[in-house]
Amino acid sequence: MKILLTGANGYVGRRLLPELLTAGHQVVCSVRDRNRLGLDKSTLDLIEIWEVDFLTTPSFEKIPKDIDVAYYLIHSMSSSTTDFDTLESKAAKNFNEYANAIGIKQVIYLSGIVNEDKLSKHLQSRKDVETILYQGNFNTTVLRAGIIVGSGSSSFEIIRDLCEKLPVMITPKWVLTKCQPIAIRDVINYLLGVISKEECYNQSFDIGGPNIITYKEMMQLYAKTRGIKLMIVTIPMMTPKLSSYWLYFVTSTSYKLAINLVNSMKMEVVCNDNRLQKILNIKPITYVDAIKLAFIKIEQNLVISSWKDSISSSQFAPNFSEFIQIPKYGCLKDHQMRKIENVENTLLNIWSIGGSRGWYYGNWMWKLRGFIDKIFGGVGLRRGRTNPIHLDNGDSLDFWRVLLANKEEKRLLLYAEMKLPGEAWLEFRIDDDNVLHQIATFRPKGIWGRLYWYSLVPFHFFIFAGMIDNIIKYKS
């Protein structure tokens, strides 16, 4: 069967893709930029790639043919605090035009549980997308999930950050709201189970795990599972905006995602029925078991995808490829070069930079810069990295984004996502003479950009020289 996978480089999409391939399906991955897909060559050889931006006017010149089923996994919640609902509706309408032209038989949409009379803007947006998809000339199947629990999911990572960092929490009253968390593996099973299942055509189903609990109980169960002592004090006067700032500064989430999540956390997301569970004969695992499975993946460095690797989790523009070519004119540079003897060890050190490893020199200064970035609304350092030794194009890396990670060419290129009066790149490259080039490039915007760079030149001298020296010396 030929399947179109939209949102192929998103959290759910990257989990779903290997399962579809294992089941023997032909898969067409739709992405805005193929360089963002971050798949190994063996997987790339098995799929087709369709570059398309569903927010632009449809063009039917290079559309895929003979698609049987499409997954609609496009969400914009973390890209804006104001107009994400407009963006989601626009994307859905454009998708309908493509789907009608292609002749797709079934569209499967992963939505949110929308059983409350009054919905948050986020959940209302999901419901509006459902309505739009039902207007297409295809059979629509909607799966409505609440909190998805798995290694790298935004909900899991937020709870993990809170419980691991704060032994005592003063929380807003929305922590008493009920929800029905579901493990990512069960979400994948449901998504696979409804393929071409006629009794699921033009139907909406709630999917959830066996536990109906409050957010407070979710944190308490997490702490108990991890053997952490936790005290939670709930107060009624914390506003949604204050709650959003609280999540933003304590966890790795972006402010855009934090405020949209907080507004939705006031809504109960509990299943009204379990019809699909019976139809597909699926027995979902418990919330505690989902936590345990997530940590097995984390401890074995097998986290396939993370919400933090999404472009919409940052300040980054969607036109990813435009930044790969480092500008030559109007830029300020710091270029360090060192002859190296052990290329393999140096490459491993480069590919392990950031996250828990740190930046090899002056880590307290990097942390201070990350804290300042958070203060001014940036991403800070808390995103870390998904895997301690592996990098893909498009991965988040502290307050950088990986533009190019090519071990064969011995080149790693990063783009800064911190708040800056300009644009910044950091490149590591080993040439044919085994010379390591470490190049920091800054393209300033106006006089403030130049003042920013020159004010940091004394620090750059020590930081960049120390970093390249320690990258060579560090024994992995």
Side-chain angles (χ1 to χ4, degrees):
M1 189 171 294
K2 197 169 184 180
I3 293 178
L4 174 64
L5 180 60
T6 69
N9 51 7
Y11 177 72
V12 176
R14 290 191 68 170
R15 304 288 175 118
L16 185 58
L17 175 59
E19 300 296 334
L20 292 171
L21 293 174
T22 300
H25 298 293
Q26 291 178 265
V27 182
V28 179
C29 292
S30 82
V31 289
R32 286 183 290 192
D33 189 327
R34 65 173 60 237
N35 293 309
R36 269 279 292 125
L37 204 46
L39 299 173
D40 57 65
K41 188 179 183 304
S42 60
T43 303
L44 288 171
D45 290 341
L46 297 174
I47 65 172
E48 295 178 39
I49 299 175
W50 177 32
E51 282 189 312
V52 58
D53 185 349
F54 289 107
L55 290 175
T56 61
T57 303
S59 172
F60 303 99
E61 295 178 4
K62 298 180 180 179
I63 60 174
K65 308 292 184 183
D66 305 319
I67 300 292
D68 300 297
V69 177
Y71 283 99
Y72 191 80
L73 303 176
I74 299 171
H75 301 303
S76 304
M77 185 177 71
S78 57
S79 63
S80 171
T81 60
T82 54
D83 64 346
F84 69 87
D85 53 340
T86 303
L87 296 175
E88 291 201 339
S89 293
K90 184 178 181 180
K93 289 174 183 176
N94 288 338
F95 171 83
N96 274 9
E97 288 194 44
Y98 280 117
N100 292 340
I102 294 169
I104 294 172
K105 301 178 182 65
Q106 181 192 20
V107 171
I108 302 167
Y109 171 47
L110 182 60
S111 182
I113 293 177
V114 288
N115 295 326
E116 293 273 313
D117 293 330
K118 187 178 180 180
L119 297 171
S120 67
K121 189 175 182 178
H122 155 225
L123 291 175
Q124 184 61 53
S125 174
R126 297 289 165 89
K127 192 171 184 179
D128 291 343
V129 170
E130 288 184 26
T131 301
I132 293 168
L133 293 178
Y134 273 122
Q135 295 168 0
N137 299 328
F138 43 76
N139 298 297
T140 303
T141 302
V142 179
L143 305 185
R144 297 170 170 170
I147 302 297
I148 297 177
V149 182
S151 56
S153 75
S154 58
S155 304
F156 173 79
E157 293 297 337
I158 287 171
I159 289 172
R160 181 185 177 191
D161 277 348
L162 290 172
C163 296
E164 301 279 354
K165 294 174 181 176
L166 299 176
V168 179
M169 276 188 240
I170 299 175
T171 61
K173 61 182 180 181
W174 53 253
V175 298
L176 302 178
T177 305
K178 290 182 179 179
C179 60
Q180 194 166 349
I182 181 171
I184 181 62
R185 70 159 50 184
D186 289 326
V187 173
I188 298 301
N189 287 337
Y190 279 118
L191 288 168
L192 294 170
V194 297
I195 293 175
S196 296
K197 206 165 189 66
E198 292 187 9
E199 56 196 300
C200 298
Y201 286 176
N202 302 313
Q203 297 279 332
S204 295
F205 302 95
D206 292 347
I207 58 172
N211 306 111
I212 299 175
I213 51 180
T214 65
Y215 292 105
K216 181 178 180 179
E217 290 169 330
M218 283 182 71
M219 290 186 284
Q220 290 171 329
L221 283 170
Y222 176 95
K224 184 178 180 181
T225 304
R226 294 285 291 155
I228 299 170
K229 290 185 179 180
L230 179 65
M231 179 184 293
I232 300 176
V233 179
T234 305
I235 58 174
M237 66 282 295
M238 193 177 287
T239 65
K241 192 166 187 177
L242 189 59
S243 299
S244 302
Y245 281 121
W246 177 65
L247 280 183
Y248 171 64
F249 280 109
V250 174
T251 73
S252 57
T253 188
S254 66
Y255 178 71
K256 297 172 188 176
L257 182 58
I259 194 166
N260 290 327
L261 283 174
V262 166
N263 288 330
S264 293
M265 284 172 173
K266 296 180 288 185
M267 311 283 112
E268 283 197 358
V269 282
V270 177
C271 300
N272 270 353
D273 68 78
N274 295 305
R275 288 179 298 142
L276 193 58
Q277 182 177 330
K278 296 174 183 176
I279 292 171
L280 300 181
N281 194 28
I282 291 175
K283 187 178 180 181
I285 65 174
T286 66
Y287 171 63
V288 169
D289 284 340
I291 293 172
K292 291 177 180 177
L293 283 173
F295 271 98
I296 289 173
K297 296 292 186 184
I298 292 168
E299 288 162 2
Q300 295 178 349
N301 295 326
L302 295 174
V303 180
I304 297 173
S305 62
S306 171
W307 74 273
K308 292 177 283 190
D309 293 332
S310 167
I311 289 295
S312 59
S313 76
S314 68
Q315 323 294 327
F316 200 74
N319 47 337
F320 183 84
S321 293
E322 292 183 11
F323 295 87
I324 292 179
Q325 296 300 321
I326 303 174
K328 296 180 180 179
Y329 303 105
C331 294
L332 303 165
K333 292 179 182 285
D334 181 282
H335 190 169
Q336 305 278 339
M337 293 183 289
R338 301 288 188 277
K339 181 75 174 180
I340 58 176
E341 296 180 0
N342 192 331
V343 174
E344 186 177 341
N345 186 73
T346 301
L347 268 179
L348 180 57
N349 289 339
I350 292 170
W351 252 250
S352 304
I353 199 167
S356 59
R357 173 73 64 89
W359 291 84
Y360 295 103
Y361 185 87
N363 278 325
W364 69 270
M365 288 185 277
W366 289 92
K367 290 176 182 177
L368 177 61
R369 183 63 182 87
F371 177 74
I372 293 171
D373 193 49
K374 272 278 188 180
I375 293 292
F376 285 92
V379 296
L381 284 180
R382 288 203 177 100
R383 293 187 309 182
R385 49 182 295 159
T386 301
N387 188 292
I389 59 172
H390 181 75
L391 290 173
D392 279 321
N393 296 350
D395 282 359
S396 62
L397 178 55
D398 291 340
F399 47 47
W400 301 88
R401 180 71 57 175
V402 179
L403 292 181
L404 181 68
N406 191 321
K407 271 196 172 180
E408 290 182 2
E409 295 181 1
K410 303 171 188 174
R411 185 181 180 217
L412 177 67
L413 178 61
L414 310 177
Y415 179 84
E417 294 188 316
M418 66 191 91
K419 293 285 187 179
L420 287 170
E423 297 171 303
W425 291 259
L426 182 59
E427 180 182 12
F428 300 93
R429 175 172 50 85
I430 301 174
D431 65 23
D432 294 336
D433 296 321
N434 289 347
V435 174
L436 172 60
H437 297 260
Q438 176 188 281
I439 308 169
T441 303
F442 183 69
R443 180 163 63 181
K445 290 183 179 178
I447 187 65
W448 291 111
R450 291 185 176 276
L451 287 174
Y452 171 83
W453 174 268
Y454 287 119
S455 68
L456 292 176
V457 165
F459 298 100
H460 288 168
F461 177 79
F462 295 104
I463 291 173
F464 290 133
M467 183 164 67
I468 191 171
D469 288 338
N470 289 338
I471 284 173
I472 296 169
K473 295 174 185 175
Y474 191 93
K475 299 299 182 184
S476 295

